[in-house]
Amino acid sequence: MKNTLLLFTALLSFISLKAQFGSQQIISTETDKAYLSIPVDIDNDGFIDVLSAQAENHVLVWFKNLNGLGSFGPKTVISTDPALYLSVDYVDIDTDGDKDILFIENNPRQIRWIEHLDGQGTFGEEHLIASIEYIKSIRTLDFDNDGDLDIISTITNTFSDGIVWFENENSLGTFGGPQLLINGNTGFYPPILEDIDNDGDIDILTSLESYNPSTIVWFENNGDLSFSLEHEILQFNFIISDWTSVVDLKYVDIDTDGLKDIFFETYQEDNGSSSGWLKNINNTGTFEEGSNIIHHVGSRKFYDLDDDGDLDMLLLNRNVNTISWIENSNGLGVFNPIRVITTEIDFPRDTQAADIDGDGLLDVVSASLGDDKVAWYKNSGILGVEESKLKQVLLYPNPTNGTLYLNTSETIVQAKITSISGKLIKTIDSPSFIDLKELSSGIYFVTLTSDNDHISVEKIIKK
């Protein structure tokens, strides 16, 4: 489906609220220029450990979760072969039941893997898979359905880019050469491997990055390991003087309807960064026209951080040394407010979420390059007092013919009206009542903010 949009950056006010995460707990301050914080169970004891990397001497290390409650031991070096790790995955390459380390190395650009020898955190030597002029990304899946993991990669040379796959030829980690899947005189965003049209095979979601504005597309799997049919989802417009480029692309269920939507972030030199999402209509490769703009605050990942059944955003902002999260406040893709997790970091490079202490809630881990720090933050599941919702709020009548009246003990400084799809319709400052007469019949959400930064999201039916 072709869809042309002009995208503008939508900014929400940065509300510094006390969140449900506790104070910083140090895992290590001896990880020289730490830039990875990957939570995984390295030694198969049921506890989440943390995998990290050092930019100072290009060493890969891990930290053992000693008791399953977040007490970590000293760093253990995985490989002493120096490498700048551009991408690290923890997957079972040799089909022996434990997970190995797969990575892209820079200078020279290579794909390598390190064998996990005993499933308890002892690793062997590195194995070379491919050395190609410019390897941009790696993804793993059993592409040929033979019981082992193959590798899908984007590569480039002087003249064109391509998406290729490397076959795991013997299920032991011996890979063949690159086999071309998609070729073109264009760049590709690292491919997302998903069954886009729900027909039982894996398709490829990506964006075309050339000398034209970016285009989000998906390539349909013909069922024989070929991808000849290209489906255009979203063509970005030329704005002023520069081309729009996609810098982040994810396939996640944003509106909690059981269908994965497309999240995107773009960058355009004159207008900065914009982000939004495209609603999955019917799980057959059709996405809603238009976009629901989300404010730009830095790199983000999606997790259910408040354990309410929908996906929130975990955000890392390197410019202001902050890790925060934004609640999916109505489960439909309305993200508000921003809650700070920590500012006790210097030049953060990575943040992820996992249940570090085994209490069923997702905690947060981080790596920061400026202070050599790997740390974690406990999710208590309890919001701070100053972050509590508005008390005794009432919007009436509901359903309404058009006029809503407010009854609350607090002073409302702002009301935002959003559609059920998450589109912001209007903002009203210091409302004494809310006029919805011009809106069509349907369901809407009213987000109220008080002078104490208390938040309430109310569902309204317009008759």
Side-chain angles (χ1 to χ4, degrees):
M1 175 183 66
K2 188 172 182 178
N3 178 22
T4 304
L5 293 177
L6 293 178
L7 295 181
F8 298 92
T9 305
L11 297 175
L12 294 180
S13 59
F14 195 90
I15 305 172
S16 182
L17 302 175
K18 181 180 179 183
Q20 63 199 44
F21 290 89
S23 59
Q24 185 181 83
Q25 301 189 51
I26 302 297
I27 296 174
S28 174
T29 56
E30 298 179 354
T31 310
D32 299 330
K33 298 190 184 312
Y35 65 94
L36 289 177
S37 56
I38 304 173
V40 289
D41 182 7
I42 295 284
D43 53 0
N44 293 302
D45 62 355
F47 305 150
I48 297 295
D49 311 301
V50 176
L51 177 67
S52 188
Q54 302 180 171
E56 180 68 27
N57 53 8
H58 306 306
V59 170
L60 194 66
V61 301
W62 72 282
F63 300 92
K64 179 178 174 61
N65 190 339
L66 298 173
N67 57 3
L69 299 175
S71 296
F72 287 86
K75 68 181 179 183
T76 300
V77 175
I78 293 174
S79 175
T80 56
D81 293 334
L84 178 57
Y85 299 91
L86 300 182
S87 173
V88 175
D89 290 320
Y90 195 56
V91 290
D92 187 3
I93 294 295
D94 53 0
T95 328
D96 63 353
D98 54 44
K99 292 183 178 181
D100 313 293
I101 294 174
L102 173 71
F103 64 93
I104 298 177
E105 175 184 356
N106 199 28
N107 293 329
R109 192 65 64 93
Q110 296 179 336
I111 304 176
R112 290 181 170 270
W113 72 282
I114 305 173
E115 183 180 359
H116 197 165
L117 297 176
D118 57 4
Q120 298 179 19
T122 304
F123 292 87
E125 63 182 17
E126 296 183 3
H127 302 272
L128 177 65
I129 295 175
S131 182
I132 298 176
E133 181 178 346
Y134 193 61
I135 302 166
K136 297 169 65 176
S137 69
I138 51 176
R139 303 283 190 269
T140 58
L141 83 163
D142 186 1
F143 187 62
D144 50 3
N145 294 311
D146 64 351
D148 54 37
L149 289 179
D150 309 298
I151 296 172
I152 307 294
S153 179
T154 49
I155 61 173
T156 188
N157 56 38
T158 305
F159 304 103
S160 66
D161 282 23
I163 299 177
V164 301
W165 74 289
F166 300 89
E167 182 183 0
N168 194 340
E169 294 182 330
N170 59 1
S171 300
L172 299 176
T174 301
F175 289 82
Q179 302 181 54
L180 186 64
L181 297 176
I182 302 170
N183 189 30
N185 295 317
T186 183
F188 294 96
Y189 186 85
I192 295 172
L193 309 176
E194 293 277 356
D195 185 2
I196 303 293
D197 53 1
N198 197 34
D199 65 351
D201 53 34
I202 295 296
D203 308 298
I204 293 177
L205 173 66
T206 185
S207 66
L208 307 182
E209 304 289 320
S210 63
Y211 295 106
N212 296 312
S214 297
T215 307
I216 298 176
V217 301
W218 68 280
F219 292 92
E220 185 174 347
N221 192 330
N222 297 324
D224 58 357
L225 307 186
S226 66
F227 298 81
S228 60
L229 189 57
E230 174 187 324
H231 299 272
E232 184 176 303
I233 299 172
L234 175 60
Q235 169 68 68
F236 292 93
N237 254 1
F238 173 76
I239 305 177
I240 306 176
S241 65
D242 295 307
W243 303 121
T244 300
S245 178
V246 171
V247 296
D248 192 12
L249 197 63
K250 291 181 173 62
Y251 197 54
V252 292
D253 184 7
I254 290 178
D255 56 357
T256 327
D257 63 354
L259 307 179
K260 290 186 177 181
D261 311 296
I262 296 174
F263 167 83
F264 62 85
E265 181 180 343
T266 65
Y267 182 78
Q268 196 270 342
E269 184 175 343
D270 289 335
N271 294 295
S273 297
S274 298
S275 56
W277 60 281
L278 304 174
K279 179 178 174 60
N280 191 334
I281 298 299
N282 54 15
N283 215 28
T284 60
T286 303
F287 297 86
E288 183 181 72
E289 293 187 12
S291 64
N292 304 285
I293 301 299
I294 305 170
H295 44 292
H296 172 70
V297 288
S299 62
R300 72 206 78 197
K301 298 180 176 71
F302 288 87
Y303 302 96
D304 184 4
L305 294 172
D306 52 3
D307 197 32
D308 65 351
D310 55 43
L311 293 177
D312 312 297
M313 288 194 293
L314 176 63
L315 307 115
L316 182 150
N317 193 323
R318 296 170 183 168
N319 296 326
V320 295
N321 291 330
T322 301
I323 295 173
S324 54
W325 71 283
I326 308 183
E327 182 184 357
N328 192 342
S329 58
N330 60 3
L332 300 174
V334 176
F335 291 89
N336 189 41
I338 300 176
R339 298 181 171 99
V340 174
I341 296 175
T342 187
T343 57
E344 297 182 78
I345 43 178
D346 182 14
F347 198 19
R349 299 295 294 176
D350 190 26
T351 185
Q352 300 189 42
D355 185 5
I356 298 294
D357 55 1
D359 64 354
L361 299 174
L362 293 179
D363 310 299
V364 169
V365 294
S366 67
S368 41
L369 192 146
D371 51 14
D372 304 327
K373 190 184 293 181
V374 181
W376 75 282
Y377 313 85
K378 177 178 174 57
N379 187 343
S380 68
I382 303 173
L383 297 178
V385 173
E386 62 265 43
E387 193 187 15
S388 61
K389 291 186 177 181
L390 284 165
K391 298 178 181 179
Q392 299 177 345
V393 65
L394 176 64
L395 289 176
Y396 66 95
N398 186 19
T400 178
N401 288 318
T403 302
L404 284 172
Y405 298 96
L406 291 77
N407 184 358
T408 177
S409 59
E410 301 190 43
T411 301
I412 305 300
V413 296
Q414 189 179 78
K416 290 187 177 183
I417 316 301
T418 54
S419 69
I420 194 170
S421 65
K423 181 180 180 181
L424 178 63
I425 296 172
K426 65 178 179 178
T427 299
I428 307 167
D429 293 326
S430 302
S432 57
F433 66 93
I434 298 173
D435 186 359
L436 304 178
K437 291 187 179 68
E438 76 277 15
L439 301 184
S440 302
S441 298
I443 297 175
Y444 298 89
F445 289 90
V446 179
T447 301
L448 302 173
T449 304
S450 77
D451 57 352
N452 294 318
D453 283 335
H454 294 173
I455 304 292
S456 181
V457 180
E458 306 295 328
K459 183 168 72 173
I460 299 299
I461 299 174
K462 168 69 187 308
K463 293 191 294 186

